[in-house]
Amino acid sequence: MANDDPQGVKTYAGPAGGWGALKAVAQAVRSQMGASADTRALLQMNQPDGFDCPGCAWPDPKHTSSFEFCENGAKAVTWEATAKRVDPDFFARHSVAELFDWSDHALEDAGRLTHPLRFDADSGHFVPIAWDEAFVRIGAAMQAFDHPDRMEFYTSGRASNEAAFLYQLMARAFGTNNFPDCSNMCHEATSVGLPKSIGVGKGTVTLEDFDHADAIFCIGHNPGTNHPRMLTTLRECSRRGAPIVVANPLRERGLERFEAPQDPLEMLTLGATPIATAYHQVKVGGDTAMLKGMMKALFAADRADLDTGGDGLLDRAFIAAHTTGIEALQADIAATGWDVIERRSGLTRAEIESMARTYWQSERVIVCYGMGLTQHRHGTENVQQLANLMLLRGNVGKPGAGICPLRGHSNVQGDRTVGITEIPTEAFLERLDRAFGIAAPRKHGHDAVAAVAAMRDGSAKGFIGLGGNLAVAMSDPQAAFPAFRSLDLSVQICTKLNRTCLLTARESIILPCLGRTEQDVQATGVQAVTVEDSMSMVHASRGRLKPAAPGLLSEPAIIAGIARAAMPHSAIDWEGMVANYDLIRDKIEAVFPDFFDFNARIRTPGGFRLRVGATNREWDTPDGKAHFIVFPGTDEDEGRDDTALTLTTIRSHDQYNTTIYGLNDRYRGITGRRDVVFVHAEDLAALGLAHGDRIDVVAGDRVLPGQTAVAYGIARGSVAAYYPEANRLIALDDHDGRSGTPAYKSVAITLRAAA
């Protein structure tokens, strides 16, 4: 058994950010944009007159003119603004069968798509096709289906509000609510769970609230990789003395210390700002146990304070005026023993009581959480237990306090706001019908899991992807890949080639679109689009670069082209809306009243914030109250052996969702490879394994073979492997029963020496 570090594995000792981040940005510029790189794109990102970062959804600081971006945002821009091209000659040289053997990194690294393409089954190659012919073929295939529900309309969070609104309009005018969406795979537990608790499936804070918070809790997220601009905010909180309490299975450098690349003094002195005041390594799947433990400690301290003549630690005035259900919650917490809490969470009672003490000693608390909380079989319940904790001290709806879900793609929240949902409300559909003179379907449609299952079972036969790489992003590629290949129609609207494009159907068409960095010129001139960040701020985005190829169409123009071909007798003015995006925004305003004066407000630098009722203690629930919600459990699977290992999938630092920028994971010390599994050294030893051993990861009859074990700072009983490679360990039906979110972070596994 190996004892030395294997190739490409070493300890990373530096902070997050710093010179390493600047070096990585320089390398990305050189490799993608060339020596004569047009770096204007980086200078225009997140600026009032520029474009919104195509990466994460962390908000901009009041849209000032500051040079504000991060390493991964820069990678996203260079990836899109690359000088590399994937043109018809590329496809003449490379068959689909050959390309399928390329890595995910190599496929996207080949460059920007330049022409519409159609798969030619006789030659096994994609061949160029004219835009009009592509639309005609797509429309004919859609019309040939015996029911609109044969179609699945997938949306990536990269799409703008304008594109997403037209897309949902097209699908509903066609006759279906089948809207698998990237939200289904990340924060659907938030969208489903929080409305039951506080009346809205969004965060309740603004960026300015962080200036006033007395404490920040970070649960189940990794800002150094997934939302690096958040580190600037956490750094400011740390420097003014606000405690930052972290609960996360892995030791993540971005949660430990940060060297700001845009702070000359910190860079020159090689200094770094500590982030976490306390770092608690909760076991994968142990979040509810930890949250219940914090509430148990809070209830005990509240009783003790009352017994000594104090006013108690709960916000009783808030609870009485704004909530319901606290008695049932108290009974559930009282029935949950500390032995179960400690065993399931992997934390000691003293650690949890310490977390609770920081919570009750702080008047204003913000809790930030990511997919470490949502991508579980009980992700919805995890989110609701967090809401319970916050409601107990009135930490929702006051300055400096609130719930902060950390979204992924920069408009994943906005897409849902403007109608991308498989479960539309009647009020929304009535307004949509009035605005366009249609009769939208009322039957609830498919989410991502249901869509792939329908494709697998043969009930869905057509698919259009507005961005994204669904077959790779989805759990269970053993089911997803054949499902895509069984389709009669597959249309991919994208900027780059990805593996889903190569899962060819009877009719497979790739439609290349403009990127967010590029000028969008329509009949009335240059257009702007809008996006909504994770704190409900809506602002304009204007690409400035020359398009990657002549003739590229925008996403709204492509959607309109498909709609006209599929519904030639539609009375909807597709051409007019594409000619002037102001007309799309007028219709968004007509369907969604919170977008009042949309075109006027979007022309204000920084845009505007949509109404979030809970921010103002307005609870949009049936009874107008916030609800304490009981979950009588503490773990993903109460029947699981306490000694069993649980695997979580993670992203590398050279990655954004399924986009693999490179093969390094700098902050975890991994270089040039992705075939590694992070395990606690004592868990390896208990299995007779060691750091550097070649192992198989086994989940029932599913195997991720030939990985290298890396002894790492991870909670006992927890294992981490890279997404999407580890998706093969997760069955399609292994998901949260309420939100449908795949259980990417709830995988019961064993490890064995590789054959």
Side-chain angles (χ1 to χ4, degrees):
M1 293 185 182
N3 291 314
D4 297 330
D5 282 338
Q7 182 177 359
V9 179
K10 62 180 181 180
T11 301
Y12 176 78
W19 292 104
L22 292 183
K23 180 180 178 182
V25 170
Q27 289 173 336
V29 170
R30 285 197 302 270
S31 67
Q32 294 300 321
M33 304 171 78
S36 58
D38 186 350
T39 55
R40 288 178 300 161
L42 297 178
L43 299 175
Q44 294 161 356
M45 182 163 60
N46 299 326
Q47 299 303 301
D49 257 350
F51 63 90
D52 193 74
C53 174
C56 78
W58 189 253
D60 303 328
K62 291 186 177 295
H63 264 267
T64 62
S65 59
S66 62
F67 185 53
E68 218 269 344
F69 72 95
C70 67
E71 174 187 343
N72 276 21
K75 287 178 181 176
V77 169
T78 60
W79 202 245
E80 180 176 293
T82 180
K84 301 176 183 179
R85 298 290 181 265
V86 176
D87 56 18
D89 288 342
F90 173 91
F91 288 102
R93 296 193 307 271
H94 304 294
S95 69
V96 167
E98 176 194 344
L99 290 169
F100 198 80
D101 289 334
W102 287 24
S103 69
D104 292 314
H105 166 67
L107 288 173
E108 292 203 38
D109 189 49
R112 287 288 299 276
L113 292 159
T114 62
H115 291 72
L117 301 157
R118 175 177 178 265
F119 178 63
D120 177 53
D122 292 336
S123 68
H125 290 249
F126 274 104
V127 296
I129 184 175
W131 281 104
D132 286 345
E133 184 183 352
F135 293 145
V136 167
R137 284 181 171 273
I138 295 167
M142 291 172 63
Q143 291 173 344
F145 293 129
D146 61 358
H147 194 281
D149 284 341
R150 299 294 188 193
M151 285 294 302
E152 304 287 349
F153 293 87
Y154 176 73
T155 320
S156 159
R158 184 198 69 183
S160 66
N161 288 326
E162 291 73 15
F165 181 77
L166 285 191
Y167 195 59
Q168 64 83 29
L169 173 63
M170 173 180 70
R172 291 192 164 103
F174 184 69
T176 187
N177 284 313
N178 287 346
F179 285 108
D181 175 59
C182 62
S183 290
N184 299 146
M185 294 177 283
C186 56
H187 266 284
E188 194 67 19
T190 295
S191 300
V192 171
L194 282 186
K196 301 290 187 183
S197 295
I198 61 171
V200 63
K202 301 181 180 183
T204 68
V205 300
T206 66
L207 194 58
E208 290 70 36
D209 282 319
F210 283 82
D211 296 334
H212 306 289
D214 299 317
I216 315 291
F217 282 73
C218 295
I219 303 176
H221 69 97
N222 176 20
T225 290
N226 297 323
H227 26 270
R229 285 192 297 130
M230 182 188 186
L231 290 177
T232 299
T233 301
L234 293 178
R235 174 177 177 267
E236 292 168 355
C237 293
S238 173
R239 289 194 156 202
R240 65 176 176 80
I244 299 173
V245 180
V246 172
N248 198 64
L250 286 84
R251 301 290 303 192
E252 300 287 18
R253 190 50 45 88
L255 290 166
E256 294 178 317
R257 58 187 186 276
F258 174 55
E259 183 179 334
Q262 290 157 308
D263 185 324
L265 180 60
E266 199 161 78
M267 294 290 285
L268 289 173
T269 60
L270 300 180
T273 300
I275 300 298
T277 309
Y279 203 122
H280 302 283
Q281 291 185 258
V282 62
K283 185 188 297 184
V284 169
D287 304 289
T288 284
M290 176 190 72
L291 291 166
K292 284 194 170 186
M294 291 179 67
M295 287 187 278
K296 193 174 185 72
L298 174 58
F299 284 140
D302 175 70
R303 287 192 300 272
D305 189 71
L306 290 173
D307 289 345
T308 57
D311 295 328
L313 303 178
L314 305 184
D315 189 337
R316 285 177 166 77
F318 170 84
I319 291 169
H322 293 281
T323 75
T324 185
I326 189 171
E327 294 84 3
L329 176 67
Q330 288 173 317
D332 177 67
I333 298 301
T336 307
W338 275 111
D339 58 335
V340 174
I341 290 171
E342 288 184 299
R343 189 171 71 249
R344 294 298 186 187
S345 69
L347 301 175
T348 66
R349 177 174 176 174
E351 287 179 289
I352 295 173
E353 289 177 335
S354 171
M355 297 172 71
R357 188 174 301 108
T358 300
Y359 177 70
W360 78 61
Q361 289 178 347
S362 304
E363 181 63 27
R364 297 174 298 276
V365 175
I366 293 174
V367 174
C368 309
Y369 69 93
M371 292 182 291
L373 208 64
T374 62
Q375 291 181 328
H376 295 276
R377 293 188 191 90
H378 292 297
T380 300
E381 288 83 356
N382 286 343
V383 171
Q384 289 174 337
Q385 296 311 301
L386 184 148
N388 286 343
L389 176 67
M390 296 295 278
L391 291 172
L392 287 172
R393 284 185 49 79
N395 273 309
V396 181
K398 64 182 180 183
I403 299 172
C404 180
L406 296 161
R407 301 281 183 169
H409 264 308
S410 64
N411 201 43
V412 62
Q413 185 163 299
D415 289 354
R416 184 57 59 89
T417 300
V418 299
I420 298 295
T421 176
E422 73 281 5
I423 48 174
T425 66
E426 178 61 26
F428 154 55
L429 293 176
E430 287 178 354
R431 292 192 298 267
L432 187 71
D433 288 352
R434 287 197 302 270
F436 291 99
I438 65 173
R442 265 49 181 180
K443 175 186 173 184
H444 285 179
H446 294 155
D447 63 10
V449 168
V452 173
M455 291 156 57
R456 176 198 61 194
D457 299 339
S459 59
K461 301 301 295 182
F463 177 89
I464 300 178
L466 182 61
N469 186 11
L470 178 59
V472 173
M474 177 53 63
S475 56
D476 203 346
Q478 300 94 314
F481 284 20
F484 272 86
R485 288 188 167 117
S486 71
L487 294 173
D488 290 338
L489 173 68
S490 178
V491 181
Q492 307 296 328
I493 304 170
C494 47
T495 58
K496 286 191 166 188
L497 188 64
N498 62 50
R499 194 165 304 281
T500 303
C501 297
L502 304 177
L503 298 168
T504 53
R506 180 176 299 177
E507 179 80 273
S508 287
I509 293 176
I510 299 174
L511 301 177
C513 63
L514 292 173
R516 193 175 289 180
T517 60
E518 294 166 326
Q519 264 198 352
D520 182 353
V521 181
Q522 301 297 337
T524 59
V526 178
Q527 305 297 312
V529 295
T530 61
V531 296
E532 178 187 347
D533 64 33
S534 61
M535 296 180 188
S536 302
M537 291 294 300
V538 179
H539 52 266
S541 177
R542 301 172 181 84
R544 299 293 186 183
L545 298 185
K546 180 181 177 182
L552 286 184
L553 298 184
S554 69
E555 288 175 325
I558 292 172
I559 293 163
I562 295 173
R564 288 193 303 268
M567 297 172 287
H569 304 298
S570 170
I572 295 171
D573 184 13
W574 301 103
E575 291 88 350
M577 288 189 289
V578 170
N580 182 355
Y581 292 179
D582 279 359
L583 301 183
I584 305 176
R585 289 186 280 272
D586 286 341
K587 290 296 188 180
I588 292 175
E589 178 180 339
V591 176
F592 298 101
D594 286 347
F595 283 90
F596 64 90
D597 295 335
F598 194 0
N599 277 306
R601 290 197 289 167
I602 207 60
R603 285 170 167 79
T604 301
F608 61 93
R609 189 172 191 244
L610 291 168
R611 176 184 175 272
V612 178
T615 298
N616 302 314
R617 294 188 169 176
E618 298 168 355
W619 318 105
D620 296 329
T621 57
D623 61 1
K625 297 278 190 179
H627 286 243
F628 291 103
I629 297 178
V630 171
F631 169 51
T634 55
D635 192 69
E636 289 304 294
D637 184 352
E638 291 294 343
R640 183 177 298 177
D641 183 347
D642 289 335
T643 64
L645 299 175
T646 304
L647 178 137
T648 175
T649 62
I650 57 174
R651 277 72 168 162
S652 81
H653 193 62
D654 252 357
Q655 175 179 1
Y656 197 78
N657 294 338
T658 62
T659 296
I660 313 296
Y661 299 125
L663 302 181
N664 299 332
D665 193 1
R666 185 168 74 250
Y667 298 148
R668 298 189 185 111
I670 306 300
T671 304
R673 60 188 307 180
R674 291 177 58 83
D675 58 339
V676 297
V677 177
F678 301 95
V679 193
H680 195 286
E682 293 179 22
D683 285 330
L684 285 173
L687 295 168
L689 301 170
H691 177 64
D693 282 355
R694 295 286 286 173
I695 61 172
D696 295 338
V697 185
V698 183
D701 59 355
R702 296 166 179 268
V703 180
L704 178 64
Q707 303 295 294
T708 295
V710 174
Y712 196 77
I714 188 170
R716 284 295 308 270
S718 304
V719 176
Y722 289 130
Y723 163 98
E725 290 87 342
N727 285 0
R728 65 169 62 192
L729 298 171
I730 308 161
L732 190 62
D733 60 359
D734 191 5
H735 57 78
D736 180 357
R738 295 176 63 186
S739 72
T741 304
Y744 296 108
K745 293 176 169 57
S746 296
V747 190
I749 57 112
T750 58
L751 303 177
R752 70 187 184 199

